[in-house]
Amino acid sequence: MGSSRSPRTGRRHSLLRTAAVTLSLATTAVLAGCASADTTTDSSSGQSAFKPAAQKEGSRITVWADSTRLPSVQAYQKSHPDVKMKIVTYDGGADGSTYLQSKVQLFDRTGSGWPDVVFGTPTDVTWASEATKPGGQPFAAPLDDNLVPKSTLDGFAKGSLTPCEFKGHTYCLRNDIAQVVLWYNKPLMDKWGYKVPTTWEDYEALGKKVAKDHPGYLVGSVGDTNSHESYFWSGQCPAFSLVKPDTLRTDLQDPKCTRMAKLLDHLISAKAIATQGFFSQGFAKNSGSKVLMAYGPSWYGQYLFKAGFKTPAKQIAAALPLTWKGETTAATGNVGGGVWMVSSHSANLKASTDLATWLTTSDENQAGAPTYPAYTQAAKAWLANPANRNYFANDVSEPFEQAANEVWTGWSNTKFSDSTAWSSVVLPALTSGKSLTETLPTWQQEIADEAKTQGYKVVGQ
């Protein structure tokens, strides 16, 4: 797992890595497919400028995977004995590592050494989808250019391939997603006669009631490095919205940002939402049993409540993402999710593409994955696995499946982590007693400064 781009340079990959360390979690993952590697071009199909390397059928492919994804790659090798493979374990981009990018830049200079298939983070796609030098081609192959069938690409959850897309082409396959849902303790909610909220307004009202009637109990936390992805991303706040490939809109005074900030401020003031992170030291021991509700990713069930808080089975349930009263369009956030890329330099695109497709789309692999598959059909197999559902107090299939198709695509994949500014500016401000509302300008400025150092033009200030 991870923190989707370290969180942003490993958002989910890095985050789940952090969760694993903090809570001593053990994880495993990935799976999926089958594809054609016909690299002929068709000028009528909106093709890319992709020029495949000379193909050598049956040649060995080199695969780079992190330790979590390693068992899946090994499973593919075992079930496809005729495919020659060299498997290399590396950090997979966790915690913002630039190891892959540095290595690819070296290989670009020397003209050899590129791995054929790599696991990475959405942030890796931002550089892998662009050529490193004039006249060159991106490291990642455009998979929609006669490599992966359109029918397969269309089978991924709505919007889940958005981080893979650049200038009209798709440069990766999404391994998993971390759609945000509303988690709640069902026995306590039933005991206290509380109705599960369906709107943000009801969530706020219930939070205030909980604080008054049951002091010490919580309906959420904003203290983790990824908390903004659960709340502000779900609220459709344009904090990280690319209006052009080189232009970032960050406008935290947008009404959709300020209304979320105010709601959270009210609940923080009421002591219904913690400013200490769920994953911070001591939280599980001191407050884990008092989390009545939590707005967070699909992996919270297994990795926060079960492994972190040690909440007994049949207590934690999941509900649909919240909406604002009067708004009909549902939207939610995402806290994680890795990707697989195929090298444009591969001499065996057929085998490379087949592996990446199998890892992400096959029921055989994804049914036993640690986190929710991005491929819709594989997600059904994942949900059918008793290991992924027996712990919960309700059937999580509906909220998971619906939320998977409601992740807002206006929170863009950028060249820098979306968690850095939140962690360096917002969390310290909250700890010192400042409100989210008064911290929005500082948060925005920090995002803008980071964006400019990465070469983005910034609008919305």
Side-chain angles (χ1 to χ4, degrees):
M1 310 202 251
S3 151
S4 185
R5 266 138 139 177
S6 185
R8 261 246 149 14
T9 286
R11 170 178 287 131
R12 136 100 58 25
H13 185 67
S14 150
L15 166 63
L16 290 194
R17 170 75 64 90
T18 301
V21 173
T22 305
L23 302 175
S24 299
L25 304 180
T27 59
T28 49
V30 286
L31 345 153
C34 239
S36 164
D38 177 6
T39 58
T40 57
T41 55
D42 178 356
S43 59
S44 66
S45 65
Q47 66 178 36
S48 65
F50 175 45
K51 294 181 176 61
Q55 295 297 291
K56 300 177 183 178
E57 186 174 352
S59 60
R60 186 179 72 170
I61 61 173
T62 299
V63 184
W64 284 17
D66 68 339
S67 58
T68 302
R69 263 43 65 161
L70 180 62
S72 293
V73 179
Q74 292 171 330
Y76 178 88
Q77 185 175 41
K78 185 176 181 180
S79 63
H80 298 74
D82 294 337
V83 178
K84 300 174 185 175
M85 298 171 63
K86 176 184 178 182
I87 304 173
V88 177
T89 306
Y90 87 117
D91 66 11
D95 303 313
S97 166
T98 58
Y99 179 81
L100 176 61
Q101 183 177 11
S102 298
K103 282 294 187 181
V104 167
Q105 290 172 340
L106 172 63
F107 299 147
D108 286 346
R109 290 195 296 271
T110 60
S112 64
W114 303 280
D116 296 87
V117 182
V118 297
F119 176 81
T121 69
T123 296
D124 289 322
V125 186
T126 63
W127 58 261
S129 57
E130 294 184 285
T132 58
K133 57 184 178 181
Q137 66 183 20
F139 164 72
L143 300 177
D144 58 326
D145 194 350
N146 299 304
L147 291 176
V148 177
K150 184 176 184 299
S151 58
T152 300
L153 297 175
D154 289 344
F156 285 82
K158 181 181 178 181
S160 64
L161 291 183
T162 299
C164 297
E165 296 167 354
F166 182 74
K167 293 186 178 179
H169 289 281
T170 304
Y171 289 89
C172 66
L173 296 180
R174 189 73 174 268
N175 178 69
D176 54 325
I177 53 178
Q179 69 278 40
V180 173
V181 297
L182 177 66
W183 292 100
Y184 63 97
N185 186 307
K186 189 175 187 305
L188 277 182
M189 293 284 282
D190 291 344
K191 177 182 178 181
W192 294 339
Y194 292 154
K195 182 180 179 182
V196 178
T198 58
T199 68
W200 284 107
E201 290 84 352
D202 291 341
Y203 174 75
E204 180 181 357
L206 180 56
K208 291 177 178 177
K209 184 171 178 58
V210 169
K212 180 181 178 181
D213 297 346
H214 304 279
Y217 280 84
L218 300 166
V219 299
S221 164
V222 292
D224 287 309
T225 59
N226 62 307
S227 298
H228 58 306
E229 294 177 342
S230 291
Y231 287 104
F232 286 91
W233 189 338
S234 297
Q236 301 178 68
C237 168
F240 297 87
S241 291
L242 288 176
V243 293
K244 294 180 181 178
D246 66 346
T247 305
L248 181 72
R249 180 192 176 205
T250 177
D251 181 8
L252 297 182
Q253 293 305 314
D254 183 280
K256 291 184 177 180
C257 302
T258 56
R259 70 179 178 182
M260 181 59 76
K262 289 176 183 176
L263 180 150
L264 293 171
D265 281 337
H266 293 160
L267 291 174
I268 291 170
S269 295
K271 299 190 184 308
I273 279 186
T275 56
Q276 182 185 12
F278 284 146
F279 293 98
S280 61
Q281 186 174 4
F283 187 95
K285 179 181 179 181
N286 299 327
S287 305
S289 63
K290 292 194 172 184
V291 176
L292 179 66
M293 290 190 291
Y295 206 64
S298 50
W299 52 263
Y300 261 15
Q302 296 281 6
Y303 296 99
L304 178 64
F305 288 102
K306 184 178 180 180
F309 296 165
K310 310 297 182 186
T311 307
K314 304 302 181 182
Q315 289 192 16
I316 301 302
L320 296 173
L322 300 170
T323 59
W324 295 93
K325 287 183 178 178
E327 295 186 4
T328 57
T329 302
T332 195
N334 177 80
V335 190
V339 303
W340 288 96
M341 294 180 286
V342 172
S343 171
S344 64
H345 307 284
S346 176
N348 193 345
L349 285 166
K350 185 178 187 303
S352 298
T353 306
D354 185 75
L355 169 62
T357 308
W358 184 88
L359 288 167
T360 52
T361 68
S362 73
D363 289 357
E364 178 184 354
N365 184 50
Q366 289 287 47
T371 49
Y372 192 87
Y375 194 70
T376 301
Q377 199 56 46
K380 291 184 181 299
W382 187 90
L383 287 165
N385 184 346
N388 296 324
R389 58 190 304 161
N390 286 355
Y391 169 73
F392 302 111
N394 73 331
D395 184 352
V396 299
S397 299
E398 182 183 0
F400 275 24
E401 290 182 315
Q402 183 168 322
N405 288 301
E406 293 177 346
V407 176
W408 183 52
T409 56
W411 191 285
S412 302
N413 187 33
T414 59
K415 296 177 181 179
F416 61 99
S417 167
D418 72 351
S419 69
T420 307
W422 176 264
S423 298
S424 63
V425 171
V426 181
L427 295 187
L430 292 176
T431 300
S432 68
K434 291 183 179 179
S435 70
L436 273 168
T437 299
E438 66 181 311
T439 308
L440 291 178
T442 311
W443 183 20
Q444 177 174 318
Q445 187 60 53
E446 188 71 12
I447 294 171
D449 290 345
E450 258 195 290
K452 291 172 183 176
T453 64
Q454 293 295 326
Y456 288 106
K457 299 174 185 175
V458 178
V459 297
Q461 292 179 278

PDB file of all heavy atoms in Angstrom, residues 29-42:
ATOM      1  N   ALA A  29       0.211  -7.485  -2.382  1.00  0.00           N
ATOM      2  CA  ALA A  29      -0.697  -6.946  -3.393  1.00  0.00           C
ATOM      3  C   ALA A  29      -0.413  -7.101  -4.862  1.00  0.00           C
ATOM      4  O   ALA A  29       0.653  -7.471  -5.244  1.00  0.00           O
ATOM      5  CB  ALA A  29      -0.944  -5.502  -3.106  1.00  0.00           C
ATOM      6  N   VAL A  30      -1.323  -6.737  -5.708  1.00  0.00           N
ATOM      7  CA  VAL A  30      -1.453  -6.561  -7.165  1.00  0.00           C
ATOM      8  C   VAL A  30      -1.901  -7.754  -8.000  1.00  0.00           C
ATOM      9  O   VAL A  30      -1.739  -8.864  -7.606  1.00  0.00           O
ATOM     10  CB  VAL A  30      -0.214  -5.981  -7.839  1.00  0.00           C
ATOM     11  CG1 VAL A  30      -0.127  -4.545  -7.517  1.00  0.00           C
ATOM     12  CG2 VAL A  30       0.965  -6.785  -7.566  1.00  0.00           C
ATOM     13  N   LEU A  31      -2.366  -7.477  -9.180  1.00  0.00           N
ATOM     14  CA  LEU A  31      -2.862  -8.510 -10.067  1.00  0.00           C
ATOM     15  C   LEU A  31      -3.473  -8.061 -11.367  1.00  0.00           C
ATOM     16  O   LEU A  31      -3.817  -6.931 -11.493  1.00  0.00           O
ATOM     17  CB  LEU A  31      -3.941  -9.278  -9.321  1.00  0.00           C
ATOM     18  CG  LEU A  31      -3.917  -9.006  -7.856  1.00  0.00           C
ATOM     19  CD1 LEU A  31      -5.257  -9.188  -7.243  1.00  0.00           C
ATOM     20  CD2 LEU A  31      -2.873  -9.793  -7.178  1.00  0.00           C
ATOM     21  N   ALA A  32      -3.638  -9.050 -12.409  1.00  0.00           N
ATOM     22  CA  ALA A  32      -4.523  -8.788 -13.552  1.00  0.00           C
ATOM     23  C   ALA A  32      -4.467  -9.126 -15.008  1.00  0.00           C
ATOM     24  O   ALA A  32      -4.463  -8.624 -15.648  1.00  0.00           O
ATOM     25  CB  ALA A  32      -4.860  -7.365 -13.533  1.00  0.00           C
ATOM     26  N   GLY A  33      -4.689  -9.516 -16.139  1.00  0.00           N
ATOM     27  CA  GLY A  33      -5.009  -9.454 -17.520  1.00  0.00           C
ATOM     28  C   GLY A  33      -4.750 -10.188 -18.770  1.00  0.00           C
ATOM     29  O   GLY A  33      -4.991 -11.321 -18.853  1.00  0.00           O
ATOM     30  N   CYS A  34      -4.285  -9.644 -19.857  1.00  0.00           N
ATOM     31  CA  CYS A  34      -3.972 -10.227 -21.164  1.00  0.00           C
ATOM     32  C   CYS A  34      -4.071  -9.173 -22.246  1.00  0.00           C
ATOM     33  O   CYS A  34      -5.050  -8.468 -22.264  1.00  0.00           O
ATOM     34  CB  CYS A  34      -4.877 -11.391 -21.503  1.00  0.00           C
ATOM     35  SG  CYS A  34      -3.945 -12.891 -21.790  1.00  0.00           S
ATOM     36  N   ALA A  35      -3.092  -9.038 -23.082  1.00  0.00           N
ATOM     37  CA  ALA A  35      -3.160  -7.975 -24.070  1.00  0.00           C
ATOM     38  C   ALA A  35      -2.361  -8.256 -25.315  1.00  0.00           C
ATOM     39  O   ALA A  35      -1.472  -9.094 -25.317  1.00  0.00           O
ATOM     40  CB  ALA A  35      -2.673  -6.676 -23.446  1.00  0.00           C
ATOM     41  N   SER A  36      -2.686  -7.517 -26.352  1.00  0.00           N
ATOM     42  CA  SER A  36      -1.978  -7.651 -27.620  1.00  0.00           C
ATOM     43  C   SER A  36      -0.861  -6.625 -27.679  1.00  0.00           C
ATOM     44  O   SER A  36      -1.008  -5.529 -27.186  1.00  0.00           O
ATOM     45  CB  SER A  36      -2.956  -7.407 -28.777  1.00  0.00           C
ATOM     46  OG  SER A  36      -2.258  -7.167 -29.968  1.00  0.00           O
ATOM     47  N   ALA A  37       0.222  -6.978 -28.302  1.00  0.00           N
ATOM     48  CA  ALA A  37       1.336  -6.030 -28.419  1.00  0.00           C
ATOM     49  C   ALA A  37       1.572  -5.662 -29.869  1.00  0.00           C
ATOM     50  O   ALA A  37       2.692  -5.514 -30.314  1.00  0.00           O
ATOM     51  CB  ALA A  37       2.600  -6.616 -27.816  1.00  0.00           C
ATOM     52  N   ASP A  38       0.497  -5.517 -30.627  1.00  0.00           N
ATOM     53  CA  ASP A  38       0.606  -5.083 -32.010  1.00  0.00           C
ATOM     54  C   ASP A  38       0.998  -3.613 -32.000  1.00  0.00           C
ATOM     55  O   ASP A  38       0.230  -2.753 -31.590  1.00  0.00           O
ATOM     56  CB  ASP A  38      -0.751  -5.266 -32.709  1.00  0.00           C
ATOM     57  CG  ASP A  38      -0.722  -4.760 -34.140  1.00  0.00           C
ATOM     58  OD1 ASP A  38       0.362  -4.375 -34.603  1.00  0.00           O
ATOM     59  OD2 ASP A  38      -1.795  -4.750 -34.782  1.00  0.00           O
ATOM     60  N   THR A  39       2.205  -3.314 -32.414  1.00  0.00           N
ATOM     61  CA  THR A  39       2.702  -1.941 -32.315  1.00  0.00           C
ATOM     62  C   THR A  39       2.578  -1.173 -33.629  1.00  0.00           C
ATOM     63  O   THR A  39       3.174  -0.123 -33.792  1.00  0.00           O
ATOM     64  CB  THR A  39       4.177  -1.947 -31.887  1.00  0.00           C
ATOM     65  OG1 THR A  39       4.938  -2.702 -32.830  1.00  0.00           O
ATOM     66  CG2 THR A  39       4.334  -2.542 -30.508  1.00  0.00           C
ATOM     67  N   THR A  40       1.793  -1.688 -34.556  1.00  0.00           N
ATOM     68  CA  THR A  40       1.581  -0.942 -35.789  1.00  0.00           C
ATOM     69  C   THR A  40       0.792   0.310 -35.466  1.00  0.00           C
ATOM     70  O   THR A  40       0.034   0.348 -34.503  1.00  0.00           O
ATOM     71  CB  THR A  40       0.793  -1.791 -36.811  1.00  0.00           C
ATOM     72  OG1 THR A  40      -0.452  -2.191 -36.222  1.00  0.00           O
ATOM     73  CG2 THR A  40       1.582  -3.018 -37.205  1.00  0.00           C
ATOM     74  N   THR A  41       0.973   1.340 -36.271  1.00  0.00           N
ATOM     75  CA  THR A  41       0.295   2.594 -35.999  1.00  0.00           C
ATOM     76  C   THR A  41      -0.802   2.855 -37.008  1.00  0.00           C
ATOM     77  O   THR A  41      -0.786   2.374 -38.132  1.00  0.00           O
ATOM     78  CB  THR A  41       1.289   3.757 -36.038  1.00  0.00           C
ATOM     79  OG1 THR A  41       1.967   3.741 -37.306  1.00  0.00           O
ATOM     80  CG2 THR A  41       2.310   3.629 -34.927  1.00  0.00           C
ATOM     81  N   ASP A  42      -1.749   3.659 -36.598  1.00  0.00           N
ATOM     82  CA  ASP A  42      -2.881   3.990 -37.443  1.00  0.00           C
ATOM     83  C   ASP A  42      -3.102   5.484 -37.334  1.00  0.00           C
ATOM     84  O   ASP A  42      -3.482   5.979 -36.276  1.00  0.00           O
ATOM     85  CB  ASP A  42      -4.122   3.210 -36.958  1.00  0.00           C
ATOM     86  CG  ASP A  42      -5.362   3.533 -37.773  1.00  0.00           C
ATOM     87  OD1 ASP A  42      -5.294   4.404 -38.667  1.00  0.00           O
ATOM     88  OD2 ASP A  42      -6.395   2.921 -37.503  1.00  0.00           O
TER      89      ASP A  42
END
